[in-house]
Amino acid sequence: MGYKVAVVGATGNVGREMMNVLTERRFPADEIFAIASRRSLGTEVSCGDQTLKCQDLEQFDFSKVDICLMSAGSAVSKEWSPKIGAKGAVVIDNSSYWRYDQDVPLIVPEVNADAISGFAKKNIIANPNCSTAQMVVALKPLHDAAKIKRVVVSTYQSVSGAGKDAMDELWAQTKAKYVPGQDVEPNKFPKQIAFNCIPHIDVFMEDGFTKEEWKMVAETKKIMDPKIKLTATCVRVPVFVGHSESVNIEFERPISADEAREILRDAPGVLVVDKREPGGYVTPVEAAGEYATYVSRIREDTTVENGLALWIVADNLLKGAALNAVQIAETLISRNLLKAAA
Ligand SMILES: NC(=O)c1ccc[n+]([C@@H]2O[C@H](COP(=O)([O-])OP(=O)(O)OC[C@H]3O[C@@H](n4cnc5c(N)ncnc54)[C@H](OP(=O)(O)O)[C@@H]3O)[C@@H](O)[C@H]2O)c1
């Protein structure tokens, strides 16, 4: 017998990928419900070879589902995740709202699957920020081998990380730049995103860092090790899908580039593509649609003691969101933490 799964945010970038991933991985679902706002009532979304009609979040009876994959933004998660959890469904939440709550596990299955056991306090499990998820998949095996002291990361984040309207904005601006006199005003982004890059994601904080940068620090500490020091610069780039990261790491113990390459070749969820020749590395265009987190450009950074530099690329809608959420649900099942509804 299978599970009843609700996907909240089913018309969105992440929700649509959740439907694909559930189908592709043959998730043992008896029934999948597509849920969105009242605006989308009756809208058809595809889920494998089925077409599902969207239902209204406010009217849906969550007592009939076992798992709820939640992907409709922080405000919706704040209000609805506890309500849905209280009805007995396990909520796997994609927003940032619950990630830092000590009663809510923040999980990347390849990295800290054991932390999942604490979920029953609120019946909510949080999915990390897309940039954190792909980074910790690559950092964890290196941390186990040589203990990371400090990380300096710069991200190159695609517009799909900001939702479907952001993708439309990049497309509209790109087309407009080819037709003189047809400029499109920035709306979702603070400045032109086509043919540009913007060093600003989420709101500014008092110390000058952005909330996106703060999330990478707080989430890495919660998922991997509170002792790791991390500083981030998060940048939006005119790429539709796929986040890239340039990462400099300082370890406690020496680790060579060859050793790191070997460790990463064996690491779950990681694919190493690292030929030191033109094209011998992965770019976001190649990572889009793929489940793996790719690591390229592995090299020793001799400007610090025990330093390494890497390039990490993954599909932000998959490992950064939908795939990780489905992997969490699979972990619940494989550890017998979920009972199917009678
Ligand atoms: N994109 C990423 O890479 C990524 C990665 C990690 C986490 N996340 C998080 O995942 C969430 C969704 O992101 P997204 O990129 O999929 O956004 P999106 O493309 O803008 O889609 C938003 C979805 O939420 C639904 N929604 C909005 N307000 C709602 C309401 N009041 N009631 C019910 N449904 C509502 C929308 O339904 P309608 O169509 O009916 O408006 C739509 O299905 C966000 O919390 C985001 O931070 C995204």
Side-chain angles (χ1 to χ4, degrees):
M1 183 165 129
Y3 299 90
K4 295 197 164 43
V5 182
V7 175
V8 177
T11 53
N13 272 350
V14 175
R16 279 178 281 139
E17 288 297 348
M18 282 170 166
M19 304 280 196
N20 291 337
V21 175
L22 286 167
T23 311
E24 281 171 12
R25 293 174 73 90
R26 298 176 191 277
F27 188 84
D30 273 352
E31 196 167 0
I32 297 176
F33 302 96
I35 320 281
S37 74
R38 192 170 305 161
R39 297 179 286 276
S40 302
L41 184 64
T43 298
E44 292 187 341
V45 291
S46 48
C47 183
D49 51 13
Q50 297 177 64
T51 301
L52 305 179
K53 278 197 183 347
C54 278
Q55 305 188 50
D56 174 7
L57 171 70
E58 309 258 353
Q59 303 300 325
F60 187 75
D61 174 12
F62 283 94
S63 63
K64 64 184 174 190
V65 305
D66 307 296
I67 303 164
C68 175
L69 304 180
M70 192 78 180
S71 182
S74 280
V76 175
S77 287
K78 177 185 175 190
E79 180 185 351
W80 283 90
S81 293
K83 286 190 197 168
I84 297 167
K87 296 234 176 213
V90 181
V91 179
I92 300 172
D93 194 283
N94 256 285
S95 79
S96 58
Y97 191 80
W98 295 101
R99 288 179 197 154
Y100 319 107
D101 186 310
Q102 59 181 10
D103 291 337
V104 174
L106 176 63
I107 301 293
V108 176
E110 296 90 338
V111 178
N112 66 337
D114 288 346
I116 206 167
S117 54
F119 79 92
K121 287 185 192 134
K122 286 204 163 92
N123 252 2
I124 302 173
I125 302 168
N127 219 26
N129 180 262
C130 35
S131 300
T132 311
Q134 68 182 63
M135 183 181 68
V136 295
V137 168
L139 292 192
K140 178 64 165 57
L142 300 176
H143 185 51
D144 289 345
K147 213 150 195 355
I148 294 173
K149 277 167 61 176
R150 179 168 182 256
V151 178
V152 180
V153 54
S154 298
T155 68
Y156 305 72
Q157 296 181 220
S158 68
V159 294
S160 57
K164 56 191 176 184
D165 296 345
M167 295 179 83
D168 292 345
E169 185 158 319
L170 172 58
W171 181 231
Q173 285 181 5
T174 305
K175 284 190 295 184
K177 291 291 159 194
Y178 285 110
V179 184
Q182 288 214 354
D183 264 5
V184 178
E185 287 298 311
N187 177 25
K188 189 87 188 164
F189 296 110
K191 295 201 179 203
Q192 174 189 320
I193 183 63
F195 310 105
N196 203 5
C197 54
I198 305 173
H200 167 200
I201 301 179
D202 209 333
V203 295
F204 278 96
M205 304 186 64
E206 252 177 37
D207 61 3
F209 282 87
T210 62
K211 182 100 183 276
E212 186 82 352
E213 291 159 354
W214 175 85
K215 286 177 204 166
M216 291 191 80
V217 177
E219 294 177 21
T220 302
K221 286 177 182 291
K222 181 165 176 178
I223 296 167
M224 273 180 53
D225 187 340
K227 291 203 203 79
I228 293 176
K229 291 182 185 168
L230 186 144
T231 183
T233 302
C234 293
V235 181
R236 190 71 71 190
V237 295
V239 167
F240 281 104
V241 177
H243 286 2
S244 310
E245 297 172 339
S246 162
V247 188
N248 287 70
I249 315 162
E250 211 177 319
F251 293 89
E252 272 183 17
R253 296 190 287 277
I255 178 166
S256 69
D258 284 344
E259 221 179 317
R261 208 173 285 114
E262 282 316 304
I263 290 166
L264 289 168
R265 280 196 207 288
D266 287 341
V270 174
L271 273 180
V272 175
V273 177
D274 193 21
K275 295 185 199 142
R276 293 174 169 180
E277 61 188 39
Y281 40 77
V282 171
T283 63
V285 164
E286 289 121 20
E290 301 293 327
Y291 286 173
T293 293
Y294 293 92
V295 183
S296 305
R297 304 287 323 278
I298 304 167
R299 60 218 191 267
E300 281 146 41
D301 172 4
T302 55
T303 62
V304 291
E305 229 186 312
N306 308 327
L308 274 186
L310 320 170
W311 174 249
I312 304 173
V313 186
D315 184 319
N316 54 294
L317 300 176
L318 292 173
K319 188 57 202 170
L323 171 64
N324 199 67
V326 173
Q327 286 176 306
I328 292 172
E330 290 168 348
T331 306
L332 286 170
I333 294 171
S334 67
R335 295 182 174 223
N336 290 319
L337 295 169
L338 198 65
K339 299 264 180 299

